[in-house]
Amino acid sequence: MSVITLLTDFGLQDEYAGVMKGVILAINPAAVLVDVTHQIDSRDVVQAAFVIHGAYRFFPGGSVHLVVVDPGVGTGRAILALKAGGHVFIAPDNGVLTLLLEKIQTPSLFRLTNEAFYLRPVSGTFHGRDIMAPVAAHVSRGTALEEIGVPIDPEQAVRLEDLAPVICADGRVEGRIVAVDSFGNLITSIDSATLARACNRGPMNKVQVKIGRQTINGLSQSYGNVAADRLLALVGSRGYLEIAVNQGSAARRLKVKKRDVVRLIP
Amino acid sequence: MSVITLLTDFGLQDEYAGVMKGVILAINPAAVLVDVTHQIDSRDVVQAAFVIHGAYRFFPGGSVHLVVVDPGVGTGRAILALKAGGHVFIAPDNGVLTLLLEKIQTPSLFRLTNEAFYLRPVSGTFHGRDIMAPVAAHVSRGTALEEIGVPIDPEQAVRLEDLAPVICADGRVEGRIVAVDSFGNLITSIDSATLARACNRGPMNKVQVKIGRQTINGLSQSYGNVAADRLLALVGSRGYLEIAVNQGSAARRLKVKKRDVVRLIP
Amino acid sequence: MSVITLLTDFGLQDEYAGVMKGVILAINPAAVLVDVTHQIDSRDVVQAAFVIHGAYRFFPGGSVHLVVVDPGVGTGRAILALKAGGHVFIAPDNGVLTLLLEKIQTPSLFRLTNEAFYLRPVSGTFHGRDIMAPVAAHVSRGTALEEIGVPIDPEQAVRLEDLAPVICADGRVEGRIVAVDSFGNLITSIDSATLARACNRGPMNKVQVKIGRQTINGLSQSYGNVAADRLLALVGSRGYLEIAVNQGSAARRLKVKKRDVVRLIP
């Protein structure tokens, strides 16, 4: 099997994602193609970093994941191939791999260099089609990363700052909103492991979550745990703290935005 | 072959549908995945009931259809597997299977119970990923429904009220608008069989269709049967009475909405 | 292998594209289905003509391409099958194949006639599902076009006027905006071959591009070649002259629209 996933900010209006699939199938006719989403907010590498980290583990081991959120296309930025957790990730060197590099053990990282695996000629504007898609196809056919690029120290990759939540000395946790989903749920950077560590000091139903001027008391298990139209906090299906309104939109209710601070008081 | 279709109200902005596909492929690498649509109006089980009933017959026999419009996720609602017409349907017990249960002969219905076929742990917010997707994958590999759930009487399933059109004593038919498509066509609950039965009494070109304050005289064969910008009624490609404007939008013209009544006078 | 691509103006809200895939898989279970896009502007055969011409070459030889932008459905317009460049294209006879017919050598063209390959009954409103999808599936299984239709002279097909850019006597090139992508980039009808021919007379960085009241001096290699928020012209990844704003939207900046004239002065 050879699953290749696509995660981009191209949207679905244009033929960009479809053309990448054509390139892949011309190289590996047996590739099984899955869209993770093409609607990452334009150029938002932070959101993409969280989505690929939350999603990859649900795909079969050996999958190849294309992450094409690439505002630097046509500049000198490198393109990376990361092998980690039994999966391979192909992405520009702009920080979109940060969470994978930090949270998966013993990553091995390569910078793409071997143009023999690229489409020719390489355009100045669409490296997703001309470099990343064909490389993913070759990798899914079994070509070793060593043939396509050169190994580099994971420390050399561009990293996004401020992604990780901070556990303060007094036990409070400080994170940020990193995405707003189509239901208006606010996804934060506070992952369930950090939450569990912080809450070591007290029971979950005593936790307070503060966002803007609002305070939410206790964590819920599901949206239906509170009355319709009520604000709640819960560990969402991605494994991160989310703020939601049962049968409503937390984004509209709270008028907060991406990057705003969320505090958790255990 | 093992086609699995997906019908949800998740939209395409988020990675929810993509992640369900990852879960399926990890269990059945040979599954062929097809999106019916992910843009059912949020929580609209009535619309979903009509779409899956109109669409399933175009897929190969033996297909498995996932219908994840699930406002009750995290509450006690059951999850059902329905075998009918040579297809299998996996859906929450919220009425979304009503038309299939009523219109297909000898359905056999199961309530999912065997957690060995679920993803572990099961989240409180995403049973599409954690229960329905893995069960669909196992079914498409050949696992019998008897192994995954317990048989229940189809009468026990939740049914939606008022879905079926009513033929009145005077021969008039009363139905409702159940969906508005992206062209602005109004899809009604009046199916072609009911229409044919009602029109037994007179020729099709004498039929009157009443909606709001408008009356449409006669049924058309295609949009182009009337002049541009003219209102028409026809049996649409789904097999239901539709109201349309040639090269325009009936929804914008008539300012009607879902659930509004449509009357047919033979 | 048997790749079948879909290019339509159906959007993704409704189940139309999904149902076409069901029809295809019921006939050819081994078909590999790829969406090029379903968001061609409603009824815009000009845009569709450019998109399919720019996209098809990235798919494997032997692919079958469905182009269902079909405002004339239900009228007497014919449906065509075109074999050209090692690919097959199925589309209504409304001009959407114009660029393929003009730019690919030795096309062989057929008008579909053999209803044995259609779904029965054929609806009056959805020939994409009832005629084009099943024919594509049969072609991808190896059925010869000669069995499905009758050969016709390519000169007989409906052609779109004014698609080709014009090289004037003084060396200026006149084209039009044919599409606006989701980033707000303006795609013109001036292809790279015409551009190269026109610029024979002078260096590329001396070229002027005129649109509305704006003049852009010189062509860029990529968006990042100019400062953020600056207007630029470049040969885009499709092989056509595009007008863009680095990290912004040329469509919003220039307030131009599809079909507006673009002039190039070498």
Side-chain angles (χ1 to χ4, degrees):
Chain A
M1 194 193 17
S2 45
V3 170
I4 299 179
T5 79
L6 294 92
L7 176 64
T8 79
D9 62 350
F10 295 162
L12 290 165
Q13 184 189 318
D14 305 308
E15 72 275 24
Y16 301 125
V19 163
M20 285 178 65
K21 294 177 186 176
V23 168
I24 290 168
L25 291 169
I27 294 168
N28 184 1
V32 173
L33 298 162
V34 181
D35 298 311
V36 175
T37 175
H38 296 288
Q39 301 193 23
I40 294 292
D41 296 338
S42 185
R43 303 185 177 88
D44 190 346
V45 291
V46 172
Q47 185 192 3
F50 277 92
V51 170
I52 189 61
H53 177 254
Y56 86 90
R57 76 193 74 187
F58 293 101
F59 288 85
S63 293
V64 179
H65 305 278
L66 276 164
V67 186
V68 190
V69 178
D70 191 15
V73 64
T75 67
R77 66 93 191 81
I79 298 176
L80 303 176
L82 167 66
K83 197 169 196 166
H87 294 244
V88 174
F89 305 86
I90 316 280
D93 184 17
N94 60 18
V96 78
L97 301 176
T98 301
L99 287 166
L100 301 166
L101 285 165
E102 288 177 355
K103 299 201 176 185
I104 311 180
Q105 300 295 314
T106 61
S108 67
L109 190 64
F110 296 80
R111 183 163 45 79
L112 302 188
T113 52
N114 191 342
E115 299 181 8
F117 293 100
Y118 302 174
L119 226 60
R120 308 307 302 267
V122 170
S123 69
T125 54
F126 196 1
H127 290 182
R129 179 192 70 192
D130 300 336
I131 300 179
M132 293 182 252
V135 163
H138 285 290
V139 170
S140 76
R141 284 183 61 181
T143 304
L145 295 182
E146 284 78 1
E147 289 185 55
I148 302 174
V150 295
I152 64 168
D153 183 339
E155 294 302 315
Q156 287 185 263
V158 172
R159 303 288 177 108
L160 298 171
E161 303 289 323
D162 295 329
L163 281 199
V166 179
I167 305 191
C168 308
D170 62 356
R172 294 175 175 221
V173 180
E174 198 172 297
R176 287 173 188 279
I177 297 172
V178 293
V180 180
D181 79 9
S182 59
F183 297 96
N185 300 326
L186 311 172
I187 292 101
T188 78
S189 59
I190 303 175
D191 57 286
S192 56
T194 302
L195 195 77
R197 219 158 351 117
C199 292
N200 225 347
R201 315 180 181 210
M204 295 286 258
N205 60 0
K206 287 283 173 62
V207 163
Q208 285 192 319
V209 175
K210 285 177 181 284
I211 177 162
R213 293 171 171 204
Q214 296 279 335
T215 300
I216 301 165
N217 290 302
L219 296 186
S220 299
Q221 294 296 322
S222 74
Y223 304 121
N225 271 187
V226 303
D229 251 348
R230 286 286 301 271
L231 203 62
L232 69 143
L234 83 179
V235 176
S237 62
R238 293 168 184 83
Y240 287 92
L241 183 74
E242 296 185 17
I243 293 158
V245 166
N246 185 23
Q247 295 175 40
S249 164
R252 226 173 311 143
R253 170 78 55 88
L254 296 181
K255 297 202 171 67
V256 294
K257 56 186 191 309
K258 283 193 299 183
R259 313 292 174 258
D260 280 0
V261 170
V262 177
R263 287 191 181 79
L264 186 137
I265 304 162
Chain B
M1 193 192 17
S2 44
V3 170
I4 299 178
T5 79
L6 295 91
L7 175 65
T8 79
D9 63 350
F10 296 161
L12 290 165
Q13 184 189 316
D14 303 308
E15 72 275 23
Y16 301 124
V19 163
M20 284 177 66
K21 294 177 185 174
V23 168
I24 290 168
L25 291 169
I27 294 167
N28 183 2
V32 173
L33 298 162
V34 181
D35 299 310
V36 175
T37 175
H38 296 288
Q39 300 193 22
I40 294 293
D41 296 338
S42 185
R43 303 184 178 87
D44 190 346
V45 290
V46 172
Q47 185 192 4
F50 277 92
V51 171
I52 188 61
H53 177 254
Y56 86 90
R57 74 193 75 187
F58 293 101
F59 288 85
S63 294
V64 179
H65 305 277
L66 276 164
V67 185
V68 190
V69 178
D70 192 15
V73 64
T75 68
R77 65 93 191 82
I79 298 176
L80 303 176
L82 167 65
K83 197 169 197 167
H87 294 245
V88 174
F89 306 86
I90 315 281
D93 185 16
N94 59 18
V96 79
L97 300 177
T98 301
L99 287 167
L100 300 166
L101 285 165
E102 289 178 355
K103 299 200 176 187
I104 310 181
Q105 300 297 313
T106 61
S108 66
L109 189 64
F110 297 79
R111 183 163 45 78
L112 302 188
T113 51
N114 191 342
E115 299 182 8
F117 293 100
Y118 303 173
L119 225 60
R120 307 307 302 268
V122 170
S123 69
T125 54
F126 196 1
H127 290 182
R129 179 192 70 192
D130 300 336
I131 301 178
M132 293 182 252
V135 163
H138 285 289
V139 170
S140 76
R141 285 183 61 180
T143 304
L145 295 181
E146 283 78 0
E147 290 186 54
I148 302 175
V150 295
I152 63 168
D153 184 338
E155 294 302 315
Q156 287 185 265
V158 172
R159 302 286 176 110
L160 298 171
E161 303 290 323
D162 294 331
L163 281 199
V166 179
I167 305 190
C168 309
D170 62 356
R172 295 177 174 220
V173 180
E174 197 172 296
R176 287 173 188 278
I177 298 173
V178 293
V180 180
D181 80 7
S182 59
F183 297 95
N185 300 327
L186 310 172
I187 292 99
T188 79
S189 59
I190 302 175
D191 57 287
S192 55
T194 302
L195 195 75
R197 221 164 344 124
C199 291
N200 225 347
R201 314 182 182 209
M204 294 287 258
N205 60 0
K206 287 281 172 64
V207 163
Q208 285 191 320
V209 176
K210 285 177 180 286
I211 177 163
R213 295 172 171 202
Q214 296 278 335
T215 300
I216 301 165
N217 289 303
L219 296 187
S220 299
Q221 295 297 321
S222 74
Y223 305 122
N225 271 187
V226 303
D229 251 349
R230 287 285 301 272
L231 203 62
L232 69 145
L234 83 180
V235 176
S237 60
R238 294 167 183 81
Y240 287 92
L241 183 74
E242 296 185 16
I243 293 157
V245 166
N246 185 23
Q247 296 176 39
S249 164
R252 227 173 312 142
R253 170 79 55 87
L254 296 180
K255 298 204 171 66
V256 294
K257 56 187 191 309
K258 284 194 298 183
R259 312 291 172 260
D260 280 0
V261 170
V262 177
R263 286 192 181 79
L264 186 136
I265 304 162
Chain C
M1 193 192 18
S2 45
V3 170
I4 299 179
T5 79
L6 295 92
L7 175 65
T8 80
D9 63 349
F10 296 162
L12 291 164
Q13 184 190 316
D14 304 309
E15 72 276 23
Y16 301 124
V19 163
M20 285 177 66
K21 294 176 186 176
V23 169
I24 290 168
L25 290 169
I27 295 168
N28 184 0
V32 173
L33 298 161
V34 181
D35 299 310
V36 175
T37 175
H38 296 289
Q39 300 193 21
I40 294 292
D41 296 337
S42 184
R43 305 184 176 86
D44 190 346
V45 290
V46 173
Q47 185 193 2
F50 276 92
V51 170
I52 189 60
H53 177 254
Y56 86 90
R57 75 194 75 187
F58 293 101
F59 287 85
S63 293
V64 180
H65 305 277
L66 277 165
V67 185
V68 191
V69 178
D70 191 15
V73 64
T75 67
R77 64 95 189 83
I79 298 176
L80 303 177
L82 167 65
K83 197 170 195 165
H87 294 244
V88 174
F89 305 86
I90 316 282
D93 184 18
N94 59 18
V96 79
L97 300 177
T98 301
L99 287 166
L100 300 166
L101 285 165
E102 288 178 355
K103 299 200 176 186
I104 309 181
Q105 301 295 314
T106 60
S108 66
L109 190 64
F110 296 80
R111 183 162 46 79
L112 303 188
T113 52
N114 192 341
E115 298 181 9
F117 293 100
Y118 303 173
L119 226 61
R120 306 308 302 267
V122 169
S123 69
T125 54
F126 196 0
H127 290 182
R129 179 192 71 190
D130 300 335
I131 302 178
M132 293 183 252
V135 164
H138 285 289
V139 171
S140 76
R141 284 184 63 179
T143 304
L145 295 181
E146 283 78 1
E147 288 186 56
I148 302 175
V150 295
I152 63 168
D153 184 339
E155 295 302 315
Q156 287 183 264
V158 172
R159 302 288 176 108
L160 299 171
E161 303 290 321
D162 294 331
L163 281 198
V166 179
I167 304 191
C168 308
D170 62 355
R172 294 175 175 220
V173 180
E174 198 172 295
R176 287 173 188 280
I177 298 173
V178 292
V180 180
D181 79 7
S182 58
F183 297 97
N185 300 326
L186 310 173
I187 293 98
T188 79
S189 60
I190 303 175
D191 56 286
S192 55
T194 302
L195 195 77
R197 217 157 354 116
C199 292
N200 225 348
R201 316 183 180 206
M204 296 286 258
N205 60 1
K206 287 283 173 61
V207 163
Q208 285 191 320
V209 176
K210 283 176 183 287
I211 177 163
R213 295 172 172 201
Q214 295 279 336
T215 300
I216 302 165
N217 290 303
L219 296 187
S220 299
Q221 294 297 322
S222 74
Y223 304 122
N225 270 188
V226 303
D229 251 347
R230 286 286 301 272
L231 203 61
L232 69 144
L234 82 179
V235 176
S237 61
R238 294 168 182 81
Y240 288 91
L241 183 73
E242 295 185 18
I243 293 158
V245 165
N246 185 23
Q247 296 175 39
S249 164
R252 226 174 311 145
R253 171 77 55 86
L254 296 180
K255 300 202 170 65
V256 293
K257 57 188 189 309
K258 282 194 298 185
R259 312 292 174 258
D260 280 0
V261 170
V262 177
R263 288 193 180 77
L264 185 138
I265 304 162

